[in-house]
Amino acid sequence: MSKTKDYVRPRTRLYLITPPRIEDVEGFAALLETALSAGDVACLQLRLKTGAGEIDAEATRAVGAAVTEMAQAYGVAVLINDSPDLAVELGADGVHVGLGDMSVKQAREIVGPDMIVGATAKNSRHTAMQACEAGADYVAFGAFYPTGTKEDTVEASPELLEIWQESMEVPCVAIGGITVENAEPLILAGADFLAVSSGVWNHPKGAPLAIAEFNALLDRLEQAGA
C-alpha cells in the first residue's frame, strides 16, 4: 500500500455531499445540474437522513432516481451513504459506510468487486488501515472544522492527511466544515478529495459559484506546485 518514490499526487478534487434533507427534489436536481456544469466534481454522495439520524430510504430513492443518471452523464460517481443495497438498486457507482454502519467487507459482498466502497475513519489511521485491508477504495478523515451537517464528530488534524499521503496509496477524503475560505491547508496537507456539503449548498452566492470558486482554488494550488 506504500507509495513509490516517483509518485506524483493528482490534483485534489471535490467530493460533493447532498444536504441531509431535500424537500423539493425537482428543484434540487435542477440546482445540482447547474452546479455540476460550473466545475469539476469527482463524486456525489447521497446522504439523506430522517429526524432520528438514520438513512431516509424513501428520500434517497426519490433523489437517486432524479439525479443519478444526470450526475453520471457529467462524469460524476454517485455514492449512497450507509446502504449498499440501495446503491445497487439505484444503479449508483458505490457506497460509503460509516463506523456505525456495516463493515467494509459486508458492503463489498453486497455491491461486488466493481463498485466503489468508501469508509469513515474519523481521526484514526488505525481504523483507516483496517478499512483498506478490508477492501475500501478510499478513507474519509475528519471533522477538520466545526460542522452542523453531522453530529458526533471528532476533531482531526491536517497532519493526519500529511502522514497518510506520505505512506499510503489508498486515497483520502477530508471532511467537516470545509469552505472555500478554509480549504487550502487541507489541500496542502494532502487531501485527495474535499468533501463539501454546506460549503456549497449554503454558499452566499449560490452552489454553482461555490463549485467554480473551489475549482479555481484547486487549479491555483496545482499550478503553484502545491
Side-chain angles (χ1 to χ4, degrees), residues 170-194:
V170 174
C172 60
V173 177
I175 191 170
I178 299 172
T179 65
V180 173
E181 291 74 24
N182 65 22
E184 184 168 341
L186 305 179
I187 301 165
L188 296 176
D192 294 296
F193 299 91
L194 297 177

Side-chain angles (χ1 to χ4, degrees), residues 93-167:
D93 298 282
V95 62
H96 180 90
V97 291
L99 293 180
D101 304 326
M102 70 172 63
S103 68
V104 169
K105 182 180 178 181
Q106 290 173 308
R108 176 64 70 196
E109 289 173 352
I110 294 171
V111 302
D114 298 325
M115 291 176 68
I116 299 166
V117 177
T120 294
K122 293 196 173 182
N123 62 359
S124 170
R125 280 189 294 143
H126 178 69
T127 298
M129 287 188 284
Q130 286 183 319
C132 294
E133 290 170 359
D137 295 295
Y138 71 83
V139 293
F141 294 115
F144 289 95
Y145 302 111
T147 174
T149 305
K150 189 174 183 179
E151 298 178 355
D152 300 324
T153 60
V154 296
E155 184 177 353
S157 165
E159 183 183 10
L160 185 61
L161 300 172
E162 294 176 358
I163 296 171
W164 188 265
Q165 192 59 242
E166 289 171 357
S167 59

Side-chain angles (χ1 to χ4, degrees), residues 13-148:
R13 300 181 68 193
L14 289 182
Y15 179 125
L16 188 58
I17 302 176
T18 63
R21 297 184 187 180
I22 296 172
E23 303 296 336
D24 179 2
V25 175
E26 290 186 4
F28 175 75
L31 175 61
L32 175 64
E33 184 163 18
T34 305
L36 295 182
S37 67
D40 176 65
V41 174
C43 58
L44 170 71
Q45 183 189 132
L46 274 59
R47 185 180 181 276
L48 296 146
K49 298 290 185 175
T50 65
E54 299 174 350
I55 184 172
D56 189 330
E58 182 178 352
T60 301
R61 285 190 178 94
V63 174
V67 307
T68 297
E69 289 187 5
M70 178 265 290
Q72 290 169 337
Y74 278 88
V76 178
V78 177
L79 309 177
I80 307 300
N81 182 260
D82 289 357
S83 177
D85 295 295
L86 274 177
V88 173
E89 176 187 327
L90 293 168
D93 298 282
V95 62
H96 180 90
V97 291
L99 293 180
D101 304 326
M102 70 172 63
S103 68
V104 169
K105 182 180 178 181
Q106 290 173 308
R108 176 64 70 196
E109 289 173 352
I110 294 171
V111 302
D114 298 325
M115 291 176 68
I116 299 166
V117 177
T120 294
K122 293 196 173 182
N123 62 359
S124 170
R125 280 189 294 143
H126 178 69
T127 298
M129 287 188 284
Q130 286 183 319
C132 294
E133 290 170 359
D137 295 295
Y138 71 83
V139 293
F141 294 115
F144 289 95
Y145 302 111
T147 174

